[in-house]
Amino acid sequence: MQQVNLGMIGGGTVGSGVYHAWAQNGDLMAARLGVELAFRKIAVKAFDEPRPYPIPQSLMTTDWQEVVNDPQIQVVIELVGGTGIAKTMILAALAQRKTVVTANKALLSAHGPELFAEAAKSGANLYYEASVCGGIPIIKSLREGFVANQFPAIYGIVNGTCNYILTRMKHEGADFADVLADAQKQGYAETPPDLDIDGKDAQHKIGILASLAHGFWVDHHAIHTEGIRDVSKLDMQFAGQLGYTIKLLGIAKQAASKSAIGNRKSAIQVSVYPTLIPNAHVLASVNGVFNACFVRGDVVGDTLFYGRGAGKDATASAVLSDVVDAALDLKLGGKVRVPPFVAHAKNGRVLPMDEIVSRYYVRLSVVDKPGVLAKISAIFAAAKIGISSVIQPEGHEGESVPLIMMLHDAPNAAMRKALAKISKLPFVKGKPVMFRVESFE
Ligand code: HSE
Protein backbone atom coordinates (compact mmCIF):
# COMPACT_ATOMS: atom_id res chain seq x y z
CA MET A 1 0.00 0.00 0.00
CA GLN A 2 1.21 3.51 -0.80
CA GLN A 3 2.46 5.40 2.27
CA VAL A 4 2.22 9.12 3.02
CA ASN A 5 4.63 10.45 5.63
CA LEU A 6 3.45 13.00 8.15
CA GLY A 7 5.32 15.51 10.28
CA MET A 8 3.69 17.57 13.00
CA ILE A 9 4.78 20.77 14.72
CA GLY A 10 3.12 20.98 18.12
CA GLY A 11 2.82 18.14 20.57
CA GLY A 12 0.66 19.65 23.31
CA THR A 13 -3.06 19.24 23.84
CA VAL A 14 -4.19 19.21 20.21
CA GLY A 15 -1.01 17.63 18.80
CA SER A 16 -1.14 14.70 21.18
CA GLY A 17 -4.87 14.42 20.40
CA VAL A 18 -4.06 14.08 16.70
CA TYR A 19 -1.43 11.44 17.39
CA HIS A 20 -3.81 9.57 19.70
CA ALA A 21 -6.68 9.59 17.17
CA TRP A 22 -4.29 8.39 14.46
CA ALA A 23 -3.03 5.59 16.73
CA GLN A 24 -6.63 4.61 17.39
CA ASN A 25 -8.06 4.79 13.86
CA GLY A 26 -5.03 4.98 11.53
CA ASP A 27 -5.58 1.45 10.24
CA LEU A 28 -9.22 2.17 9.55
CA MET A 29 -8.29 5.35 7.71
CA ALA A 30 -5.72 3.43 5.64
CA ALA A 31 -8.35 0.84 4.75
CA ARG A 32 -10.78 3.55 3.68
CA LEU A 33 -8.16 5.49 1.72
CA GLY A 34 -5.94 2.83 0.26
CA VAL A 35 -3.04 4.86 1.61
CA GLU A 36 -1.10 4.27 4.79
CA LEU A 37 -0.47 7.35 6.92
CA ALA A 38 2.78 7.26 8.90
CA PHE A 39 4.06 9.77 11.44
CA ARG A 40 7.79 10.37 11.03
CA LYS A 41 8.52 13.32 13.33
CA ILE A 42 6.70 15.48 15.83
CA ALA A 43 8.29 18.74 16.98
CA VAL A 44 7.45 19.57 20.59
CA LYS A 45 8.28 22.43 22.98
CA ALA A 46 9.87 20.00 25.41
CA PHE A 47 9.92 16.20 25.58
CA ASP A 48 8.25 16.30 28.98
CA GLU A 49 5.74 19.12 28.40
CA PRO A 50 2.35 18.17 29.86
CA ARG A 51 0.14 16.47 27.28
CA PRO A 52 -3.11 14.54 27.71
CA TYR A 53 -1.95 11.62 25.53
CA PRO A 54 1.57 10.23 25.22
CA ILE A 55 3.70 10.63 22.09
CA PRO A 56 6.48 8.08 21.53
CA GLN A 57 9.88 9.54 22.43
CA SER A 58 11.34 8.14 19.19
CA LEU A 59 9.16 10.51 17.11
CA MET A 60 9.88 13.65 19.10
CA THR A 61 12.28 16.46 18.33
CA THR A 62 12.49 19.96 19.74
CA ASP A 63 13.63 21.38 16.39
CA TRP A 64 10.70 22.22 14.08
CA GLN A 65 13.08 22.60 11.13
CA GLU A 66 13.78 18.87 11.32
CA VAL A 67 10.12 18.33 10.44
CA VAL A 68 10.01 20.86 7.63
CA ASN A 69 13.36 19.80 6.15
CA ASP A 70 12.88 16.04 6.33
CA PRO A 71 12.73 15.02 2.64
CA GLN A 72 10.58 11.98 3.53
CA ILE A 73 7.84 14.11 5.09
CA GLN A 74 5.15 15.03 2.57
CA VAL A 75 2.54 16.62 4.84
CA VAL A 76 3.29 19.08 7.66
CA ILE A 77 0.68 19.66 10.37
CA GLU A 78 1.09 23.02 12.12
CA LEU A 79 -0.49 23.21 15.57
CA VAL A 80 1.64 25.90 17.19
CA GLY A 81 -0.93 28.69 16.88
CA GLY A 82 -0.44 32.45 16.90
CA THR A 83 0.70 34.73 14.12
CA GLY A 84 4.45 34.70 14.74
CA ILE A 85 6.68 31.65 14.32
CA ALA A 86 3.75 29.60 12.98
CA LYS A 87 3.81 31.74 9.84
CA THR A 88 7.53 31.12 9.33
CA MET A 89 6.94 27.38 9.78
CA ILE A 90 4.09 27.22 7.26
CA LEU A 91 5.94 29.31 4.68
CA ALA A 92 9.03 27.11 5.13
CA ALA A 93 6.97 23.95 4.60
CA LEU A 94 5.19 25.37 1.54
CA ALA A 95 8.52 26.49 0.09
CA GLN A 96 9.55 22.83 0.26
CA ARG A 97 6.37 21.98 -1.67
CA LYS A 98 4.90 20.11 1.29
CA THR A 99 1.16 20.13 1.87
CA VAL A 100 0.33 21.99 5.07
CA VAL A 101 -2.53 21.32 7.46
CA THR A 102 -3.25 24.01 10.03
CA ALA A 103 -5.76 24.78 12.76
CA ASN A 104 -4.51 28.36 13.00
CA LYS A 105 -7.48 30.72 12.53
CA ALA A 106 -5.63 33.79 13.81
CA LEU A 107 -2.85 33.30 11.28
CA LEU A 108 -5.21 32.69 8.36
CA SER A 109 -7.24 35.71 9.37
CA ALA A 110 -4.18 37.96 9.49
CA HIS A 111 -2.22 36.55 6.52
CA GLY A 112 -4.59 34.41 4.43
CA PRO A 113 -3.84 35.97 1.03
CA GLU A 114 -0.07 35.72 1.51
CA LEU A 115 -0.25 32.10 2.67
CA PHE A 116 -2.54 30.96 -0.14
CA ALA A 117 -0.43 32.84 -2.71
CA GLU A 118 2.63 31.02 -1.39
CA ALA A 119 0.80 27.71 -1.58
CA ALA A 120 -0.24 28.41 -5.18
CA LYS A 121 3.33 29.39 -6.08
CA SER A 122 4.77 26.20 -4.65
CA GLY A 123 2.04 23.98 -6.05
CA ALA A 124 1.21 22.70 -2.56
CA ASN A 125 -2.10 22.85 -0.74
CA LEU A 126 -2.91 24.56 2.55
CA TYR A 127 -5.77 22.88 4.41
CA TYR A 128 -7.53 24.40 7.44
CA GLU A 129 -10.62 22.40 8.47
CA ALA A 130 -9.77 22.63 12.19
CA SER A 131 -9.56 26.42 12.12
CA VAL A 132 -13.34 26.89 12.27
CA CYS A 133 -15.79 25.11 14.57
CA GLY A 134 -13.36 22.41 15.73
CA GLY A 135 -14.70 19.00 14.77
CA ILE A 136 -17.59 20.20 12.58
CA PRO A 137 -16.65 19.60 8.94
CA ILE A 138 -17.85 23.03 7.88
CA ILE A 139 -14.93 23.94 5.61
CA LYS A 140 -15.18 20.71 3.65
CA SER A 141 -18.93 21.07 3.44
CA LEU A 142 -18.75 24.60 2.02
CA ARG A 143 -15.87 23.65 -0.24
CA GLU A 144 -17.10 20.32 -1.60
CA GLY A 145 -20.50 19.29 -0.28
CA PHE A 146 -22.03 22.63 -1.31
CA VAL A 147 -19.86 23.29 -4.35
CA ALA A 148 -23.02 23.77 -6.45
CA ASN A 149 -24.31 26.56 -4.22
CA GLN A 150 -24.04 30.26 -3.64
CA PHE A 151 -24.44 31.24 -0.01
CA PRO A 152 -27.10 33.87 0.69
CA ALA A 153 -26.51 33.47 4.44
CA ILE A 154 -24.28 31.76 6.96
CA TYR A 155 -24.93 32.21 10.67
CA GLY A 156 -22.49 30.67 13.12
CA ILE A 157 -22.24 30.15 16.84
CA VAL A 158 -18.51 29.78 16.44
CA ASN A 159 -17.12 30.58 19.88
CA GLY A 160 -17.77 27.99 22.56
CA THR A 161 -16.57 30.18 25.43
CA CYS A 162 -19.09 32.92 24.65
CA ASN A 163 -21.85 30.40 24.07
CA TYR A 164 -21.10 28.75 27.42
CA ILE A 165 -21.23 32.11 29.23
CA LEU A 166 -24.42 33.28 27.50
CA THR A 167 -26.10 29.92 28.10
CA ARG A 168 -25.38 30.09 31.83
CA MET A 169 -26.49 33.72 32.01
CA LYS A 170 -29.79 32.72 30.46
CA HIS A 171 -30.41 29.57 32.47
CA GLU A 172 -29.19 30.87 35.84
CA GLY A 173 -30.26 34.52 35.50
CA ALA A 174 -26.64 35.31 36.34
CA ASP A 175 -24.45 38.34 35.62
CA PHE A 176 -21.80 38.27 32.92
CA ALA A 177 -18.91 39.01 35.29
CA ASP A 178 -19.88 36.24 37.76
CA VAL A 179 -20.28 33.61 35.05
CA LEU A 180 -17.02 34.65 33.39
CA ALA A 181 -15.12 34.41 36.69
CA ASP A 182 -16.57 30.96 37.35
CA ALA A 183 -15.92 29.82 33.77
CA GLN A 184 -12.28 30.84 34.17
CA LYS A 185 -12.03 28.95 37.46
CA GLN A 186 -13.43 25.82 35.81
CA GLY A 187 -11.23 26.10 32.72
CA TYR A 188 -14.05 26.92 30.28
CA ALA A 189 -12.66 30.41 29.65
CA GLU A 190 -9.06 31.52 29.19
CA THR A 191 -7.25 34.02 31.38
CA PRO A 192 -7.18 36.65 29.96
CA PRO A 193 -10.45 35.92 28.16
CA ASP A 194 -10.35 38.84 25.72
CA LEU A 195 -9.77 36.94 22.46
CA ASP A 196 -12.99 35.03 23.01
CA ILE A 197 -15.32 37.43 24.80
CA ASP A 198 -14.42 40.46 22.71
CA GLY A 199 -15.42 38.53 19.58
CA LYS A 200 -11.95 38.32 18.00
CA ASP A 201 -11.88 34.53 17.78
CA ALA A 202 -15.35 34.56 16.22
CA GLN A 203 -14.17 37.29 13.85
CA HIS A 204 -11.31 35.07 12.63
CA LYS A 205 -13.69 32.18 12.06
CA ILE A 206 -16.53 34.00 10.29
CA GLY A 207 -13.93 35.77 8.16
CA ILE A 208 -12.56 32.41 7.02
CA LEU A 209 -16.05 31.05 6.29
CA ALA A 210 -17.07 34.22 4.43
CA SER A 211 -13.88 34.17 2.35
CA LEU A 212 -14.39 30.56 1.35
CA ALA A 213 -18.10 30.99 0.68
CA HIS A 214 -17.83 34.19 -1.33
CA GLY A 215 -14.56 33.69 -3.17
CA PHE A 216 -12.56 36.71 -2.06
CA TRP A 217 -10.39 37.09 1.01
CA VAL A 218 -12.27 39.10 3.62
CA ASP A 219 -9.94 41.52 5.36
CA HIS A 220 -10.52 41.10 9.08
CA HIS A 221 -10.41 44.88 9.53
CA ALA A 222 -13.66 45.06 7.54
CA ILE A 223 -15.51 42.73 9.92
CA HIS A 224 -17.67 44.69 12.36
CA THR A 225 -17.06 42.95 15.68
CA GLU A 226 -18.71 43.31 19.07
CA GLY A 227 -18.15 40.91 21.96
CA ILE A 228 -20.42 39.90 24.82
CA ARG A 229 -19.16 42.14 27.65
CA ASP A 230 -22.21 44.41 27.35
CA VAL A 231 -24.79 41.64 27.57
CA SER A 232 -26.42 41.93 30.98
CA LYS A 233 -28.74 39.58 32.83
CA LEU A 234 -31.42 42.25 32.46
CA ASP A 235 -31.17 42.05 28.68
CA MET A 236 -31.25 38.25 28.80
CA GLN A 237 -34.46 38.48 30.86
CA PHE A 238 -36.19 41.05 28.65
CA ALA A 239 -35.11 39.19 25.50
CA GLY A 240 -36.66 36.06 27.07
CA GLN A 241 -39.92 37.90 27.79
CA LEU A 242 -40.04 38.93 24.15
CA GLY A 243 -39.44 35.36 22.95
CA TYR A 244 -35.75 35.66 22.08
CA THR A 245 -32.37 34.29 23.17
CA ILE A 246 -29.14 36.29 22.95
CA LYS A 247 -26.30 34.51 21.10
CA LEU A 248 -22.98 35.73 19.77
CA LEU A 249 -23.45 35.21 16.03
CA GLY A 250 -20.92 35.33 13.25
CA ILE A 251 -22.88 36.42 10.19
CA ALA A 252 -21.87 36.30 6.53
CA LYS A 253 -24.73 37.15 4.22
CA GLN A 254 -25.62 38.83 1.01
CA ALA A 255 -27.08 41.89 2.61
CA ALA A 256 -30.03 44.05 1.80
CA SER A 257 -28.27 47.36 1.48
CA LYS A 258 -30.12 50.61 0.97
CA SER A 259 -27.20 52.35 -0.72
CA ALA A 260 -25.29 49.48 -2.30
CA ILE A 261 -25.33 49.80 -6.06
CA GLY A 262 -24.34 47.40 -8.79
CA ASN A 263 -24.29 43.67 -8.24
CA ARG A 264 -25.85 43.24 -4.82
CA LYS A 265 -24.65 39.67 -4.56
CA SER A 266 -21.02 40.78 -4.60
CA ALA A 267 -21.58 42.92 -1.49
CA ILE A 268 -21.77 40.99 1.73
CA GLN A 269 -22.29 41.61 5.41
CA VAL A 270 -19.60 40.00 7.52
CA SER A 271 -19.96 40.69 11.22
CA VAL A 272 -19.87 39.40 14.78
CA TYR A 273 -22.23 40.70 17.46
CA PRO A 274 -24.58 39.55 20.21
CA THR A 275 -27.89 38.94 18.44
CA LEU A 276 -31.44 38.33 19.59
CA ILE A 277 -32.64 35.18 17.86
CA PRO A 278 -36.20 33.84 18.08
CA ASN A 279 -36.52 31.00 20.59
CA ALA A 280 -38.21 28.97 17.87
CA HIS A 281 -35.07 29.07 15.72
CA VAL A 282 -32.85 26.01 15.99
CA LEU A 283 -29.76 28.10 16.86
CA ALA A 284 -31.48 29.26 20.06
CA SER A 285 -31.16 25.68 21.37
CA VAL A 286 -27.41 25.42 20.80
CA ASN A 287 -26.19 25.54 24.38
CA GLY A 288 -23.00 25.39 26.42
CA VAL A 289 -19.68 25.05 24.66
CA PHE A 290 -21.24 23.66 21.49
CA ASN A 291 -20.85 25.38 18.14
CA ALA A 292 -23.29 25.42 15.25
CA CYS A 293 -23.44 26.77 11.72
CA PHE A 294 -26.66 27.46 9.92
CA VAL A 295 -25.86 27.55 6.22
CA ARG A 296 -28.32 28.67 3.57
CA GLY A 297 -27.39 27.60 0.05
CA ASP A 298 -29.32 28.92 -2.93
CA VAL A 299 -29.73 25.38 -4.26
CA VAL A 300 -29.71 23.19 -1.13
CA GLY A 301 -31.79 25.48 1.10
CA ASP A 302 -31.26 25.63 4.86
CA THR A 303 -28.80 23.25 6.55
CA LEU A 304 -27.47 22.95 10.08
CA PHE A 305 -24.15 21.76 11.49
CA TYR A 306 -23.68 21.14 15.22
CA GLY A 307 -20.81 19.85 17.30
CA ARG A 308 -17.82 20.54 19.48
CA GLY A 309 -15.94 23.63 18.42
CA ALA A 310 -12.82 22.97 20.44
CA GLY A 311 -10.99 20.33 22.42
CA LYS A 312 -8.26 17.86 21.60
CA ASP A 313 -10.40 15.09 20.16
CA ALA A 314 -12.83 17.13 18.07
CA THR A 315 -9.96 19.19 16.67
CA ALA A 316 -7.97 16.01 15.94
CA SER A 317 -10.90 14.68 13.92
CA ALA A 318 -10.80 17.81 11.73
CA VAL A 319 -7.01 17.81 11.39
CA LEU A 320 -6.99 14.18 10.29
CA SER A 321 -9.71 14.82 7.71
CA ASP A 322 -7.36 17.38 6.14
CA VAL A 323 -4.50 14.91 6.33
CA VAL A 324 -6.68 12.49 4.38
CA ASP A 325 -7.39 15.08 1.69
CA ALA A 326 -3.66 15.74 1.48
CA ALA A 327 -2.96 12.00 1.22
CA LEU A 328 -5.55 11.62 -1.54
CA ASP A 329 -3.93 14.49 -3.44
CA LEU A 330 -0.65 12.60 -3.24
CA LYS A 331 -2.18 9.22 -4.04
CA LEU A 332 -3.91 10.54 -7.12
CA GLY A 333 -0.84 12.37 -8.34
CA GLY A 334 -1.80 15.99 -7.95
CA LYS A 335 -4.31 18.36 -6.47
CA VAL A 336 -7.57 16.76 -7.41
CA ARG A 337 -9.80 18.04 -4.65
CA VAL A 338 -11.81 21.25 -4.86
CA PRO A 339 -8.95 23.54 -3.81
CA PRO A 340 -8.93 24.78 -0.21
CA PHE A 341 -9.46 28.39 -1.28
CA VAL A 342 -10.26 29.87 -4.67
CA ALA A 343 -10.43 33.64 -5.21
CA HIS A 344 -13.12 33.61 -7.91
CA ALA A 345 -15.08 36.78 -7.06
CA LYS A 346 -13.72 39.79 -8.87
CA ASN A 347 -15.97 42.41 -7.28
CA GLY A 348 -16.38 41.01 -3.82
CA ARG A 349 -16.62 43.56 -1.03
CA VAL A 350 -17.73 43.81 2.55
CA LEU A 351 -20.48 46.31 3.26
CA PRO A 352 -19.75 48.90 5.94
CA MET A 353 -21.86 48.28 9.04
CA ASP A 354 -23.66 51.61 8.55
CA GLU A 355 -25.21 50.22 5.36
CA ILE A 356 -26.47 47.00 6.91
CA VAL A 357 -30.19 46.87 7.55
CA SER A 358 -31.42 45.02 10.64
CA ARG A 359 -34.01 44.99 13.37
CA TYR A 360 -33.14 46.17 16.87
CA TYR A 361 -33.68 45.67 20.57
CA VAL A 362 -33.05 48.83 22.60
CA ARG A 363 -33.01 49.18 26.38
CA LEU A 364 -32.97 52.65 27.88
CA SER A 365 -33.02 53.75 31.45
CA VAL A 366 -35.46 56.66 31.59
CA VAL A 367 -37.06 58.83 34.23
CA ASP A 368 -40.73 57.85 34.39
CA LYS A 369 -42.56 61.10 33.66
CA PRO A 370 -45.08 62.44 31.12
CA GLY A 371 -43.84 62.94 27.54
CA VAL A 372 -40.79 60.68 27.74
CA LEU A 373 -42.11 57.99 25.39
CA ALA A 374 -43.44 60.64 22.98
CA LYS A 375 -40.06 62.39 22.69
CA ILE A 376 -38.16 59.12 22.15
CA SER A 377 -40.72 57.92 19.59
CA ALA A 378 -40.44 61.23 17.75
CA ILE A 379 -36.69 60.75 17.30
CA PHE A 380 -37.21 57.25 15.91
CA ALA A 381 -40.02 58.50 13.67
CA ALA A 382 -37.85 61.30 12.27
CA ALA A 383 -35.21 58.66 11.46
CA LYS A 384 -37.90 56.53 9.74
CA ILE A 385 -37.42 53.78 12.30
CA GLY A 386 -40.65 52.05 13.27
CA ILE A 387 -41.36 50.69 16.74
CA SER A 388 -42.72 47.15 16.81
CA SER A 389 -43.18 46.69 20.56
CA VAL A 390 -42.49 48.39 23.90
CA ILE A 391 -42.08 47.10 27.46
CA GLN A 392 -41.88 49.35 30.47
CA PRO A 393 -42.20 47.56 33.81
CA GLU A 394 -44.43 49.52 36.16
CA GLY A 395 -42.41 51.86 38.38
CA HIS A 396 -42.86 55.00 40.44
CA GLU A 397 -43.40 58.31 38.72
CA GLY A 398 -40.22 60.40 38.77
CA GLU A 399 -37.93 57.38 39.25
CA SER A 400 -35.75 55.55 36.69
CA VAL A 401 -37.29 52.61 34.88
CA PRO A 402 -36.10 50.39 32.04
CA LEU A 403 -37.75 51.08 28.69
CA ILE A 404 -37.37 48.29 26.15
CA MET A 405 -38.24 48.81 22.52
CA MET A 406 -38.19 46.43 19.57
CA LEU A 407 -37.65 48.29 16.31
CA HIS A 408 -38.37 47.44 12.69
CA ASP A 409 -35.79 47.18 9.91
CA ALA A 410 -33.52 50.20 9.55
CA PRO A 411 -29.96 50.88 8.40
CA ASN A 412 -27.37 50.84 11.16
CA ALA A 413 -26.36 54.43 10.36
CA ALA A 414 -29.89 55.69 11.02
CA MET A 415 -30.03 53.70 14.24
CA ARG A 416 -26.65 54.95 15.42
CA LYS A 417 -27.64 58.58 14.84
CA ALA A 418 -31.03 58.19 16.49
CA LEU A 419 -29.47 56.60 19.58
CA ALA A 420 -26.88 59.38 19.81
CA LYS A 421 -29.75 61.90 19.94
CA ILE A 422 -31.72 59.85 22.42
CA SER A 423 -28.75 59.47 24.75
CA LYS A 424 -28.57 63.28 25.02
CA LEU A 425 -32.15 63.64 26.26
CA PRO A 426 -32.07 64.82 29.88
CA PHE A 427 -34.42 62.08 31.11
CA VAL A 428 -32.34 59.26 29.54
CA LYS A 429 -29.86 57.95 32.09
CA GLY A 430 -26.64 56.16 31.08
CA LYS A 431 -25.76 54.74 27.69
CA PRO A 432 -28.54 53.17 25.63
CA VAL A 433 -28.13 49.42 25.17
CA MET A 434 -28.71 48.18 21.63
CA PHE A 435 -28.61 44.67 20.17
CA ARG A 436 -29.58 43.61 16.69
CA VAL A 437 -32.36 41.12 16.07
CA GLU A 438 -32.09 38.37 13.44
CA SER A 439 -35.18 36.82 11.91
CA PHE A 440 -33.37 34.45 9.48
CA GLU A 441 -35.72 35.37 6.62
N1 HSE B 1 -11.54 29.59 22.18
C1 HSE B 1 -12.36 29.01 21.19
C2 HSE B 1 -13.77 28.87 21.69
C3 HSE B 1 -11.91 27.67 20.71
O1 HSE B 1 -14.05 29.20 22.84
O2 HSE B 1 -14.60 28.44 20.92
C4 HSE B 1 -10.74 27.76 19.80
O3 HSE B 1 -11.07 28.46 18.65
Side-chain angles (χ1 to χ4, degrees):
M1 195 186 276
Q2 189 180 338
Q3 179 173 310
V4 168
N5 293 318
L6 314 175
M8 187 155 69
I9 311 176
T13 304
V14 175
S16 70
V18 171
Y19 184 81
H20 176 78
W22 169 83
Q24 186 175 306
N25 288 340
D27 288 347
L28 174 66
M29 289 163 69
R32 285 173 172 161
L33 278 174
V35 176
E36 201 175 310
L37 303 169
F39 269 98
R40 271 188 68 91
K41 277 196 186 88
I42 300 177
V44 297
K45 250 192 243 147
F47 281 24
D48 58 355
E49 76 179 292
R51 55 180 66 90
Y53 300 117
I55 293 175
Q57 188 107 359
S58 59
L59 287 177
M60 286 198 275
T61 169
T62 51
D63 179 3
W64 65 267
Q65 305 220 31
E66 273 189 36
V67 173
V68 169
N69 293 330
D70 183 335
Q72 304 286 320
I73 289 178
Q74 296 148 289
V75 178
V76 172
I77 304 165
E78 179 274 309
L79 298 173
V80 170
T83 54
I85 185 75
K87 184 180 173 200
T88 309
M89 292 163 172
I90 290 179
L91 291 176
L94 291 174
Q96 304 248 18
R97 307 170 67 85
K98 294 179 196 297
T99 302
V100 174
V101 171
T102 183
N104 196 333
K105 63 224 88 184
L107 182 62
L108 286 173
S109 175
H111 300 292
E114 184 186 344
L115 295 169
F116 286 109
E118 203 52 42
K121 207 163 84 191
S122 71
N125 262 335
L126 171 59
Y127 287 107
Y128 51 98
E129 182 63 70
S131 67
V132 182
C133 289
I136 303 174
I138 188 67
I139 301 289
K140 197 174 175 73
S141 300
L142 292 182
R143 194 179 90 216
E144 295 195 334
F146 295 147
V147 68
N149 287 262
Q150 297 185 56
F151 298 99
I154 298 174
Y155 303 95
I157 294 175
V158 294
N159 185 271
T161 305
C162 288
N163 204 43
Y164 173 84
I165 292 172
L166 293 174
T167 302
R168 282 193 54 190
M169 286 176 69
K170 178 181 172 184
H171 291 164
E172 297 166 24
D175 268 323
F176 169 77
D178 295 340
V179 176
L180 172 62
D182 193 54
Q184 286 177 305
K185 215 158 62 190
Q186 295 196 44
Y188 287 109
E190 307 260 356
T191 306
D194 311 22
L195 191 68
D196 291 313
I197 65 170
D198 291 330
K200 265 285 194 192
D201 175 77
Q203 179 200 79
H204 297 154
K205 292 168 179 170
I206 197 68
I208 292 169
L209 293 183
S211 302
L212 176 61
H214 293 278
F216 70 99
W217 197 261
V218 170
D219 184 337
H220 63 100
H221 296 104
I223 303 176
H224 178 91
T225 302
E226 296 171 23
I228 62 166
R229 283 183 202 269
D230 292 336
V231 179
S232 69
K233 72 175 178 194
L234 213 54
D235 296 310
M236 272 291 178
Q237 282 160 6
F238 284 123
Q241 271 185 44
L242 290 157
Y244 292 87
T245 297
I246 304 179
K247 295 285 186 193
L248 186 73
L249 278 195
I251 300 176
K253 68 174 170 180
Q254 288 162 345
S257 160
K258 290 220 162 138
S259 62
I261 44 171
N263 181 2
R264 234 196 69 201
K265 283 189 173 172
S266 66
I268 53 168
Q269 170 185 357
V270 189
S271 53
V272 173
Y273 46 71
T275 310
L276 270 72
I277 63 181
N279 284 336
H281 193 271
V282 66
L283 286 179
S285 310
V286 174
N287 287 322
V289 294
F290 278 86
N291 282 198
C293 266
F294 184 84
V295 177
R296 178 167 296 154
D298 64 338
V299 181
V300 70
D302 289 349
T303 63
L304 181 73
F305 296 78
Y306 172 86
R308 290 190 184 278
K312 56 190 187 309
D313 302 315
T315 309
S317 170
V319 166
L320 286 172
S321 83
D322 277 348
V323 166
V324 163
D325 275 5
L328 285 174
D329 289 345
L330 293 163
K331 176 187 175 184
L332 299 168
K335 293 185 294 177
V336 294
R337 328 289 308 162
V338 179
F341 174 67
V342 183
H344 57 77
K346 300 284 170 274
N347 305 315
R349 70 183 182 101
V350 175
L351 283 169
M353 199 60 208
D354 268 359
E355 290 186 33
I356 303 297
V357 173
S358 50
R359 291 169 56 212
Y360 305 89
Y361 159 101
V362 170
R363 177 171 58 82
L364 306 171
S365 179
V366 297
V367 179
D368 183 356
K369 61 178 190 180
V372 164
L373 201 49
K375 288 211 174 80
I376 292 167
S377 310
I379 292 177
F380 282 131
K384 298 192 168 47
I385 302 174
I387 296 167
S388 64
S389 82
V390 178
I391 301 180
Q392 185 193 302
E394 198 170 359
H396 294 288
E397 197 158 12
E399 291 180 7
S400 283
V401 283
L403 176 65
I404 292 85
M405 306 178 109
M406 296 291 279
L407 303 164
H408 287 298
D409 269 342
N412 275 252
M415 189 62 194
R416 186 170 49 74
K417 287 175 197 157
L419 281 183
K421 282 187 191 152
I422 287 169
S423 66
K424 290 195 188 111
L425 295 171
F427 48 78
V428 172
K429 306 292 167 199
K431 205 172 150 238
V433 173
M434 180 275 279
F435 297 115
R436 297 170 189 87
V437 179
E438 187 58 60
S439 44
F440 301 94
E441 278 152 9

